[in-house]
Amino acid sequence: RRRHTIPADLDFNQCKFLFIRQDLIGDALVSTPVFETLKRHYPGAVIDVLMSPRNHFVLERDPAVRKRWIYRKSPGDIRNLMREVRHEHYDFMVDLIDNPSRTSTLWCLFGGARWRVGLAKENDFCYDFAAPFLPKDGYHVAERTANVLKAFRINPEKEPLRIRYFLSQNAERFGANVWKGNGLNGSTVLGINISAGVEVRSWWGNNASQFLTEVHVRHPDWRILLVFKPEDRAKAELLSVSSPFVILPPDTPSFDHVAALVSLLSFLVTPDTSIVQIAAAFGIPALVLHLKISSLHGHLWEPYKSDSENLIASVDNLETIPASEVVAAFERLCSRNINRQPKLKQDIVRPTS
């Protein structure tokens, strides 16, 4: 068990930090408040992040982050990466993983950092500072993650924590062209995301079709845009047969291009995916559909600090949520945002650098 004391007078402004975040896209997004807050308090600090091929692009343009190490699970890659990381002589290795992870444990033990920090859980024997683990049923995962900041004399409860995502200029042009090409500028645009990582979390069948029809009847002046991964275009086209008023954008070549579309929306309806936190980053009111298993892990992954409605399926299949319930929840969301104006490109609130 490690317990090397962090000196009370240590100048964090002169330190090098390596954060461990080698999991999924959503996990990287809910960690962005940590990087921004640390950099704001200690602008001279060096912040690097250990990521995976699945999520490294999330921080590509984040000004708080200097370098992204990409962790691949082949023995040769691990050995070479470990050698390079150790040569950096990091002052701190910070484990952001919410659950005990063998990978993050091994990196803390052998990554060569002077001090190791993480949340108090089963693998905290390898930390010098174990931040209190906030209850899952009372705190958002972004707040639980941000508790590691207490190791660096920062109280996250007093910080303006926000999800951040920085679009590329190419993606912004893509979004602007979709809006211009479909005459969406100045319109209230509802986005429906039909894609998810697994089939039981996707939402594009009969209930989605009924929901689209009902929303179109209630809000005939609104425009409805389907958001989907390129591999789900056939599903989107099938849904457009029963709902010919929906708009199908061109295929999105990257996550960044999907984020650009979401940033321009007036409202979003989506399964519980990483797109939820993109909506939070740009302040888009969202209706989020969750699997039943999500409710068993405490606080839902709802959009952080952004207005939302959240529905939980009675079983682990989103198609079982009745369209009537989705419509009712959406109307509640709309009633709270009744004065929300259609967004023009110049009106989008960008994360500050």
Side-chain angles (χ1 to χ4, degrees), residues 23-68:
D23 32 18
L24 301 175
I25 297 173
D27 301 290
L29 286 167
V30 298
S31 300
T32 56
V34 174
F35 311 137
E36 186 277 331
T37 302
L38 184 66
K39 193 68 173 177
R40 178 161 38 83
H41 278 261
Y42 307 112
V46 172
I47 297 176
D48 295 346
V49 188
L50 182 72
M51 310 187 77
S52 74
R54 297 175 295 181
N55 72 354
H56 68 93
F57 48 82
V58 172
L59 303 180
E60 184 174 359
R61 289 165 296 279
D62 194 315
V65 176
R66 181 193 71 162
K67 181 180 179 65
R68 294 161 296 132

Short mmCIF file of all heavy atoms in Angstrom, two decimals, residues 23-68:
data_model
loop_
_atom_site.label_atom_id
_atom_site.label_comp_id
_atom_site.label_asym_id
_atom_site.label_seq_id
_atom_site.Cartn_x
_atom_site.Cartn_y
_atom_site.Cartn_z
N ASP A 23 -10.98 4.50 -21.61
CA ASP A 23 -12.21 3.73 -21.76
C ASP A 23 -13.04 4.24 -22.94
O ASP A 23 -12.63 4.07 -24.07
CB ASP A 23 -13.00 3.69 -20.44
CG ASP A 23 -12.81 4.95 -19.61
OD1 ASP A 23 -12.37 5.98 -20.15
OD2 ASP A 23 -13.13 4.93 -18.42
N LEU A 24 -14.18 4.87 -22.70
CA LEU A 24 -15.09 5.19 -23.80
C LEU A 24 -15.22 6.70 -24.03
O LEU A 24 -14.68 7.51 -23.27
CB LEU A 24 -16.47 4.58 -23.51
CG LEU A 24 -16.48 3.05 -23.33
CD1 LEU A 24 -17.88 2.59 -22.94
CD2 LEU A 24 -16.02 2.36 -24.60
N ILE A 25 -15.93 7.06 -25.09
CA ILE A 25 -16.07 8.46 -25.47
C ILE A 25 -16.74 9.27 -24.36
O ILE A 25 -16.26 10.34 -23.98
CB ILE A 25 -16.89 8.57 -26.77
CG1 ILE A 25 -16.16 7.88 -27.92
CG2 ILE A 25 -17.17 10.03 -27.11
CD1 ILE A 25 -16.98 7.80 -29.20
N GLY A 26 -17.84 8.75 -23.84
CA GLY A 26 -18.56 9.47 -22.79
C GLY A 26 -17.71 9.70 -21.55
O GLY A 26 -17.80 10.74 -20.90
N ASP A 27 -16.87 8.71 -21.22
CA ASP A 27 -15.99 8.85 -20.06
C ASP A 27 -15.00 9.99 -20.25
O ASP A 27 -14.69 10.73 -19.32
CB ASP A 27 -15.24 7.54 -19.81
CG ASP A 27 -16.18 6.38 -19.56
OD1 ASP A 27 -16.82 6.36 -18.50
OD2 ASP A 27 -16.29 5.51 -20.43
N ALA A 28 -14.47 10.12 -21.47
CA ALA A 28 -13.55 11.21 -21.76
C ALA A 28 -14.27 12.56 -21.66
O ALA A 28 -13.71 13.54 -21.13
CB ALA A 28 -12.93 11.03 -23.14
N LEU A 29 -15.50 12.62 -22.15
CA LEU A 29 -16.24 13.88 -22.12
C LEU A 29 -16.52 14.34 -20.69
O LEU A 29 -16.37 15.54 -20.38
CB LEU A 29 -17.55 13.73 -22.89
CG LEU A 29 -17.43 13.70 -24.41
CD1 LEU A 29 -18.73 13.24 -25.05
CD2 LEU A 29 -17.04 15.07 -24.95
N VAL A 30 -16.92 13.42 -19.80
CA VAL A 30 -17.24 13.83 -18.43
C VAL A 30 -15.98 14.14 -17.62
O VAL A 30 -16.08 14.63 -16.50
CB VAL A 30 -18.07 12.76 -17.68
CG1 VAL A 30 -19.42 12.55 -18.37
CG2 VAL A 30 -17.32 11.45 -17.54
N SER A 31 -14.80 13.89 -18.20
CA SER A 31 -13.54 14.23 -17.54
C SER A 31 -13.04 15.61 -17.93
O SER A 31 -12.12 16.13 -17.29
CB SER A 31 -12.46 13.19 -17.87
OG SER A 31 -12.85 11.90 -17.45
N THR A 32 -13.61 16.21 -18.97
CA THR A 32 -13.11 17.51 -19.42
C THR A 32 -13.19 18.60 -18.35
O THR A 32 -12.32 19.49 -18.34
CB THR A 32 -13.84 17.96 -20.70
OG1 THR A 32 -15.26 17.98 -20.47
CG2 THR A 32 -13.53 17.01 -21.86
N PRO A 33 -14.17 18.58 -17.43
CA PRO A 33 -14.14 19.60 -16.37
C PRO A 33 -12.89 19.50 -15.49
O PRO A 33 -12.42 20.53 -14.98
CB PRO A 33 -15.41 19.31 -15.56
CG PRO A 33 -16.32 18.60 -16.50
CD PRO A 33 -15.42 17.78 -17.37
N VAL A 34 -12.36 18.30 -15.32
CA VAL A 34 -11.16 18.12 -14.51
C VAL A 34 -9.98 18.82 -15.16
O VAL A 34 -9.23 19.57 -14.50
CB VAL A 34 -10.84 16.62 -14.31
CG1 VAL A 34 -9.51 16.43 -13.58
CG2 VAL A 34 -11.97 15.93 -13.55
N PHE A 35 -9.78 18.60 -16.45
CA PHE A 35 -8.64 19.19 -17.15
C PHE A 35 -8.74 20.72 -17.17
O PHE A 35 -7.76 21.42 -16.92
CB PHE A 35 -8.55 18.65 -18.58
CG PHE A 35 -8.65 17.16 -18.67
CD1 PHE A 35 -9.42 16.54 -19.64
CD2 PHE A 35 -7.98 16.34 -17.75
CE1 PHE A 35 -9.52 15.16 -19.72
CE2 PHE A 35 -8.07 14.96 -17.83
CZ PHE A 35 -8.84 14.36 -18.81
N GLU A 36 -9.93 21.22 -17.48
CA GLU A 36 -10.11 22.68 -17.56
C GLU A 36 -9.87 23.33 -16.20
O GLU A 36 -9.21 24.37 -16.11
CB GLU A 36 -11.51 22.99 -18.08
CG GLU A 36 -11.77 24.46 -18.34
CD GLU A 36 -12.17 25.26 -17.11
OE1 GLU A 36 -12.77 24.66 -16.18
OE2 GLU A 36 -11.86 26.46 -17.06
N THR A 37 -10.41 22.73 -15.14
CA THR A 37 -10.29 23.31 -13.80
C THR A 37 -8.84 23.30 -13.33
O THR A 37 -8.34 24.31 -12.78
CB THR A 37 -11.17 22.54 -12.81
OG1 THR A 37 -12.53 22.58 -13.25
CG2 THR A 37 -11.08 23.15 -11.42
N LEU A 38 -8.15 22.18 -13.53
CA LEU A 38 -6.76 22.10 -13.11
C LEU A 38 -5.90 23.12 -13.85
O LEU A 38 -5.06 23.80 -13.26
CB LEU A 38 -6.23 20.68 -13.34
CG LEU A 38 -4.81 20.41 -12.85
CD1 LEU A 38 -4.73 20.50 -11.33
CD2 LEU A 38 -4.33 19.03 -13.32
N LYS A 39 -6.12 23.25 -15.16
CA LYS A 39 -5.34 24.18 -15.97
C LYS A 39 -5.66 25.63 -15.59
O LYS A 39 -4.78 26.50 -15.64
CB LYS A 39 -5.63 23.94 -17.45
CG LYS A 39 -4.66 24.62 -18.40
CD LYS A 39 -3.26 24.02 -18.31
CE LYS A 39 -2.34 24.58 -19.37
NZ LYS A 39 -0.98 24.06 -19.26
N ARG A 40 -6.89 25.90 -15.23
CA ARG A 40 -7.25 27.25 -14.83
C ARG A 40 -6.57 27.65 -13.52
O ARG A 40 -6.12 28.78 -13.36
CB ARG A 40 -8.78 27.36 -14.72
CG ARG A 40 -9.29 28.71 -14.27
CD ARG A 40 -10.76 28.89 -14.62
NE ARG A 40 -11.54 27.68 -14.47
CZ ARG A 40 -12.04 27.24 -13.32
NH1 ARG A 40 -11.84 27.94 -12.20
NH2 ARG A 40 -12.77 26.14 -13.27
N HIS A 41 -6.48 26.71 -12.59
CA HIS A 41 -5.82 26.99 -11.31
C HIS A 41 -4.30 27.01 -11.46
O HIS A 41 -3.63 27.80 -10.80
CB HIS A 41 -6.22 25.93 -10.28
CG HIS A 41 -7.53 26.19 -9.63
ND1 HIS A 41 -7.65 26.78 -8.38
CD2 HIS A 41 -8.81 25.96 -10.05
CE1 HIS A 41 -8.93 26.89 -8.06
NE2 HIS A 41 -9.65 26.40 -9.06
N TYR A 42 -3.78 26.14 -12.32
CA TYR A 42 -2.33 26.02 -12.47
C TYR A 42 -1.97 26.08 -13.96
O TYR A 42 -1.72 25.05 -14.60
CB TYR A 42 -1.84 24.71 -11.85
CG TYR A 42 -2.28 24.52 -10.41
CD1 TYR A 42 -3.20 23.52 -10.06
CD2 TYR A 42 -1.80 25.35 -9.40
CE1 TYR A 42 -3.62 23.35 -8.75
CE2 TYR A 42 -2.21 25.20 -8.09
CZ TYR A 42 -3.13 24.20 -7.77
OH TYR A 42 -3.53 24.05 -6.46
N PRO A 43 -1.96 27.27 -14.53
CA PRO A 43 -1.75 27.39 -15.98
C PRO A 43 -0.39 26.87 -16.46
O PRO A 43 -0.23 26.57 -17.64
CB PRO A 43 -1.88 28.90 -16.23
CG PRO A 43 -1.71 29.55 -14.89
CD PRO A 43 -2.22 28.57 -13.89
N GLY A 44 0.58 26.76 -15.56
CA GLY A 44 1.88 26.23 -15.96
C GLY A 44 1.98 24.73 -15.93
O GLY A 44 2.98 24.15 -16.39
N ALA A 45 0.97 24.06 -15.41
CA ALA A 45 0.98 22.60 -15.31
C ALA A 45 0.90 21.96 -16.69
O ALA A 45 0.26 22.49 -17.60
CB ALA A 45 -0.17 22.11 -14.44
N VAL A 46 1.56 20.81 -16.84
CA VAL A 46 1.49 20.02 -18.07
C VAL A 46 0.46 18.91 -17.86
O VAL A 46 0.58 18.13 -16.91
CB VAL A 46 2.86 19.43 -18.43
CG1 VAL A 46 2.73 18.45 -19.60
CG2 VAL A 46 3.84 20.54 -18.78
N ILE A 47 -0.53 18.85 -18.74
CA ILE A 47 -1.59 17.85 -18.62
C ILE A 47 -1.57 16.95 -19.85
O ILE A 47 -1.80 17.40 -20.97
CB ILE A 47 -2.97 18.51 -18.48
CG1 ILE A 47 -3.04 19.34 -17.20
CG2 ILE A 47 -4.09 17.47 -18.50
CD1 ILE A 47 -4.34 20.11 -17.03
N ASP A 48 -1.26 15.68 -19.64
CA ASP A 48 -1.33 14.66 -20.68
C ASP A 48 -2.37 13.63 -20.28
O ASP A 48 -2.71 13.50 -19.08
CB ASP A 48 0.03 13.98 -20.88
CG ASP A 48 1.08 14.95 -21.41
OD1 ASP A 48 0.72 16.03 -21.87
OD2 ASP A 48 2.28 14.60 -21.36
N VAL A 49 -2.89 12.88 -21.24
CA VAL A 49 -3.95 11.91 -20.95
C VAL A 49 -3.66 10.60 -21.68
O VAL A 49 -3.33 10.61 -22.88
CB VAL A 49 -5.34 12.44 -21.38
CG1 VAL A 49 -6.43 11.49 -20.89
CG2 VAL A 49 -5.58 13.85 -20.83
N LEU A 50 -3.76 9.50 -20.95
CA LEU A 50 -3.65 8.16 -21.52
C LEU A 50 -5.04 7.74 -21.98
O LEU A 50 -5.96 7.63 -21.15
CB LEU A 50 -3.10 7.18 -20.48
CG LEU A 50 -2.89 5.75 -20.95
CD1 LEU A 50 -1.70 5.65 -21.89
CD2 LEU A 50 -2.70 4.81 -19.75
N MET A 51 -5.21 7.51 -23.29
CA MET A 51 -6.52 7.24 -23.85
C MET A 51 -6.49 5.97 -24.68
O MET A 51 -5.46 5.30 -24.78
CB MET A 51 -6.99 8.44 -24.68
CG MET A 51 -6.88 9.77 -23.94
SD MET A 51 -7.60 11.17 -24.81
CE MET A 51 -9.35 10.89 -24.50
N SER A 52 -7.60 5.64 -25.29
CA SER A 52 -7.70 4.44 -26.10
C SER A 52 -7.99 4.83 -27.55
O SER A 52 -8.36 5.98 -27.83
CB SER A 52 -8.83 3.54 -25.58
OG SER A 52 -10.09 4.08 -25.91
N PRO A 53 -7.86 3.89 -28.49
CA PRO A 53 -8.24 4.19 -29.88
C PRO A 53 -9.71 4.57 -30.01
O PRO A 53 -10.11 5.20 -30.99
CB PRO A 53 -7.94 2.87 -30.62
CG PRO A 53 -6.89 2.20 -29.79
CD PRO A 53 -7.23 2.56 -28.37
N ARG A 54 -10.53 4.21 -29.02
CA ARG A 54 -11.96 4.49 -29.09
C ARG A 54 -12.32 5.91 -28.67
O ARG A 54 -13.42 6.38 -28.99
CB ARG A 54 -12.72 3.50 -28.20
CG ARG A 54 -12.60 2.05 -28.63
CD ARG A 54 -13.27 1.12 -27.64
NE ARG A 54 -12.59 1.13 -26.35
CZ ARG A 54 -12.96 0.40 -25.30
NH1 ARG A 54 -14.01 -0.40 -25.41
NH2 ARG A 54 -12.29 0.45 -24.17
N ASN A 55 -11.44 6.59 -27.92
CA ASN A 55 -11.87 7.88 -27.38
C ASN A 55 -10.85 9.01 -27.50
O ASN A 55 -11.12 10.13 -27.09
CB ASN A 55 -12.30 7.73 -25.92
CG ASN A 55 -11.12 7.50 -24.98
OD1 ASN A 55 -9.98 7.35 -25.39
ND2 ASN A 55 -11.41 7.44 -23.69
N HIS A 56 -9.67 8.75 -28.07
CA HIS A 56 -8.60 9.74 -28.03
C HIS A 56 -8.97 11.03 -28.78
O HIS A 56 -8.48 12.12 -28.44
CB HIS A 56 -7.31 9.15 -28.62
CG HIS A 56 -7.38 8.89 -30.09
ND1 HIS A 56 -6.98 9.81 -31.03
CD2 HIS A 56 -7.83 7.81 -30.79
CE1 HIS A 56 -7.15 9.31 -32.24
NE2 HIS A 56 -7.68 8.11 -32.14
N PHE A 57 -9.83 10.94 -29.79
CA PHE A 57 -10.18 12.12 -30.60
C PHE A 57 -11.01 13.13 -29.83
O PHE A 57 -11.11 14.29 -30.25
CB PHE A 57 -10.93 11.68 -31.86
CG PHE A 57 -12.05 10.72 -31.59
CD1 PHE A 57 -13.29 11.16 -31.16
CD2 PHE A 57 -11.86 9.35 -31.74
CE1 PHE A 57 -14.31 10.27 -30.90
CE2 PHE A 57 -12.88 8.44 -31.49
CZ PHE A 57 -14.11 8.91 -31.06
N VAL A 58 -11.59 12.73 -28.70
CA VAL A 58 -12.43 13.65 -27.92
C VAL A 58 -11.62 14.87 -27.47
O VAL A 58 -12.14 15.99 -27.43
CB VAL A 58 -13.04 12.93 -26.70
CG1 VAL A 58 -13.74 13.91 -25.78
CG2 VAL A 58 -14.01 11.84 -27.17
N LEU A 59 -10.34 14.66 -27.14
CA LEU A 59 -9.52 15.74 -26.59
C LEU A 59 -8.56 16.33 -27.62
O LEU A 59 -7.63 17.05 -27.26
CB LEU A 59 -8.73 15.23 -25.37
CG LEU A 59 -9.55 14.65 -24.23
CD1 LEU A 59 -8.64 14.19 -23.11
CD2 LEU A 59 -10.57 15.67 -23.71
N GLU A 60 -8.78 16.03 -28.89
CA GLU A 60 -7.83 16.44 -29.93
C GLU A 60 -7.60 17.95 -29.95
O GLU A 60 -6.49 18.42 -30.21
CB GLU A 60 -8.32 15.96 -31.29
CG GLU A 60 -7.36 16.24 -32.42
CD GLU A 60 -7.80 15.64 -33.74
OE1 GLU A 60 -8.87 14.96 -33.76
OE2 GLU A 60 -7.09 15.82 -34.74
N ARG A 61 -8.64 18.73 -29.68
CA ARG A 61 -8.51 20.18 -29.75
C ARG A 61 -8.70 20.86 -28.39
O ARG A 61 -8.87 22.08 -28.32
CB ARG A 61 -9.52 20.74 -30.76
CG ARG A 61 -9.17 20.42 -32.20
CD ARG A 61 -10.33 20.66 -33.13
NE ARG A 61 -11.45 19.77 -32.83
CZ ARG A 61 -11.52 18.50 -33.25
NH1 ARG A 61 -10.56 18.00 -34.00
NH2 ARG A 61 -12.54 17.74 -32.92
N ASP A 62 -8.68 20.09 -27.32
CA ASP A 62 -8.85 20.67 -25.98
C ASP A 62 -7.57 21.42 -25.60
O ASP A 62 -6.50 20.82 -25.47
CB ASP A 62 -9.15 19.58 -24.96
CG ASP A 62 -9.67 20.15 -23.65
OD1 ASP A 62 -9.08 21.14 -23.17
OD2 ASP A 62 -10.65 19.61 -23.11
N PRO A 63 -7.64 22.73 -25.40
CA PRO A 63 -6.43 23.51 -25.13
C PRO A 63 -5.79 23.21 -23.78
O PRO A 63 -4.64 23.59 -23.55
CB PRO A 63 -6.92 24.96 -25.19
CG PRO A 63 -8.38 24.88 -24.89
CD PRO A 63 -8.84 23.58 -25.46
N ALA A 64 -6.51 22.54 -22.88
CA ALA A 64 -5.93 22.21 -21.58
C ALA A 64 -4.97 21.03 -21.66
O ALA A 64 -4.15 20.84 -20.76
CB ALA A 64 -7.04 21.90 -20.57
N VAL A 65 -5.08 20.24 -22.73
CA VAL A 65 -4.31 18.99 -22.84
C VAL A 65 -3.15 19.15 -23.80
O VAL A 65 -3.33 19.57 -24.95
CB VAL A 65 -5.24 17.84 -23.31
CG1 VAL A 65 -4.44 16.56 -23.52
CG2 VAL A 65 -6.35 17.62 -22.29
N ARG A 66 -1.94 18.78 -23.34
CA ARG A 66 -0.76 18.87 -24.20
C ARG A 66 -0.64 17.69 -25.13
O ARG A 66 -0.40 17.82 -26.33
CB ARG A 66 0.50 18.97 -23.34
CG ARG A 66 1.79 19.10 -24.16
CD ARG A 66 3.04 18.89 -23.33
NE ARG A 66 3.22 17.49 -22.93
CZ ARG A 66 4.37 16.98 -22.51
NH1 ARG A 66 5.44 17.74 -22.42
NH2 ARG A 66 4.43 15.71 -22.15
N LYS A 67 -0.77 16.48 -24.58
CA LYS A 67 -0.48 15.26 -25.34
C LYS A 67 -1.47 14.16 -24.98
O LYS A 67 -1.87 14.02 -23.83
CB LYS A 67 0.96 14.79 -25.04
CG LYS A 67 1.39 13.53 -25.79
CD LYS A 67 2.81 13.15 -25.42
CE LYS A 67 3.27 11.89 -26.14
NZ LYS A 67 3.34 12.07 -27.60
N ARG A 68 -1.83 13.37 -25.99
CA ARG A 68 -2.68 12.20 -25.77
C ARG A 68 -1.87 10.95 -26.11
O ARG A 68 -1.47 10.76 -27.26
CB ARG A 68 -3.94 12.28 -26.65
CG ARG A 68 -4.88 13.42 -26.31
CD ARG A 68 -5.82 13.72 -27.46
NE ARG A 68 -5.11 14.20 -28.63
CZ ARG A 68 -5.32 13.75 -29.86
NH1 ARG A 68 -6.19 12.79 -30.10
NH2 ARG A 68 -4.61 14.24 -30.87
#
